[in-house]
Amino acid sequence: MLLFPPQQIREQLGFDDMPDINTAVTMAVEAIEPQIAGLLATEFEKQTGHMDVFFAVEPRVDQGRHRYTEFRLSRGFVSNVGVTAKDPTNGTRTLTETLLIDEARGVVRDIGTPFRNSYVEISFDSGFDADGTDPTLYDQAQVPDWLKQAARIGALRSLASNPTVTNAGIELDKGVLDAHYAALVNRHIRYAPDAILAL
C-alpha cells in the first residue's frame, strides 16, 4: 500500500498527468513502503487483536522501590495496548498504572512491577487503516507527518536516476535527499537494546 498519494510527487516535480510519469512515480512510491517498513522492523497494514508473549525473569533494573522493565513489541504504531502478567507468586494481574507506552515505536515500559519468572502477555492493535476512498492508500489522517515526509524523500531518491525524470531535465541532488531521508528515518528506528523480546 501507499504511504502518500503519488500525484504529490508528480506535482512537486512539475509534471503533467502523463502515463509514463504516473507509472514511474507510482512505482517509486510503492517501492519505498516496504523499504521503510524493513528499516523500522514493523508492518504498516492494520492488524487487530495481536498478542505478544514475553518472559521476564526479573526487572531489568531493581533498586529499592525503583523497578524498570522494557518490552519491545513485534510491531510499531500500536494502540489499545493491554498488559497482563502471570507468575507463580502473584497469579494473574492486569497492569495499567505502572506502564509507559511508546506507541509509535511499539515499546512498553513498566516502572514498578516486581516481575519474578513472569509470563507477560501484551495485546495490541497496530498499523493504519486503508483510506476510505482509495484502498491502495493508507488513511492519511493516521500516517504520521514524518513518515509521509520520509516516504516522499525516499521516492524522490529513487526517481533521481530514473530516465523519465532525467530526460525531462530535472536534476535531484541525491546526496541531499539521502541525508534528509536518513535524518528522518533514523530518529524513529525501533531500537530498544535493554528491552525483552517476544517469545
Side-chain angles (χ1 to χ4, degrees):
M1 290 181 62
L2 307 176
L3 290 166
F4 69 97
Q7 63 265 26
Q8 291 180 0
I9 290 283
R10 178 175 55 77
E11 293 167 359
Q12 180 179 351
L13 295 175
F15 284 113
D16 293 329
D17 188 357
M18 298 180 292
D20 56 341
I21 296 298
N22 289 339
T23 298
V25 169
T26 299
M27 288 177 60
V29 176
E30 286 175 344
I32 199 62
E33 189 263 1
Q35 291 177 35
I36 297 177
L39 286 171
L40 299 180
T42 189
E43 299 295 327
F44 299 126
E45 294 87 2
K46 187 72 172 184
Q47 184 180 61
T48 59
H50 186 80
M51 180 177 290
D52 285 346
V53 179
F54 303 83
F55 186 68
V57 176
E58 60 187 4
R60 291 290 202 205
V61 175
D62 193 352
Q63 298 172 335
R65 294 172 53 192
H66 175 62
R67 298 180 184 93
Y68 179 87
T69 308
E70 192 171 68
F71 303 91
R72 182 181 181 271
L73 301 177
S74 56
R75 293 178 67 148
F77 303 104
V78 299
S79 59
N80 301 320
V81 178
V83 182
T84 302
K86 302 176 180 180
D87 63 64
T89 304
N90 299 302
T92 300
R93 61 202 186 282
T94 301
L95 308 179
T96 54
E97 295 179 3
T98 59
L99 300 179
L100 301 172
I101 302 171
D102 185 333
E103 294 181 340
R105 284 189 167 86
V107 175
V108 176
R109 297 174 180 92
D110 184 288
I111 56 170
T113 304
F115 296 109
R116 292 291 180 266
N117 297 320
S118 304
Y119 284 97
V120 180
E121 298 177 346
I122 304 181
S123 61
F124 58 91
D125 300 335
S126 65
F128 314 123
D129 292 309
D131 183 81
T133 57
D134 183 353
T136 68
L137 182 69
Y138 291 114
D139 184 338
Q140 294 298 281
Q142 296 178 11
V143 180
D145 289 341
W146 72 264
L147 182 54
K148 287 186 274 194
Q149 178 70 359
R152 278 192 290 273
I153 298 297
L156 285 170
R157 286 170 67 223
S158 175
L159 290 168
S161 57
N162 187 300
T164 304
V165 174
T166 57
N167 290 343
I170 296 174
E171 294 185 13
L172 299 170
D173 189 328
K174 198 164 186 303
V176 171
L177 293 172
D178 286 345
H180 193 178
Y181 178 78
L184 284 167
V185 174
N186 290 345
R187 286 186 310 195
H188 299 277
I189 295 292
R190 298 180 60 230
Y191 181 66
D194 292 329
I196 299 173
L197 302 179
L199 298 175

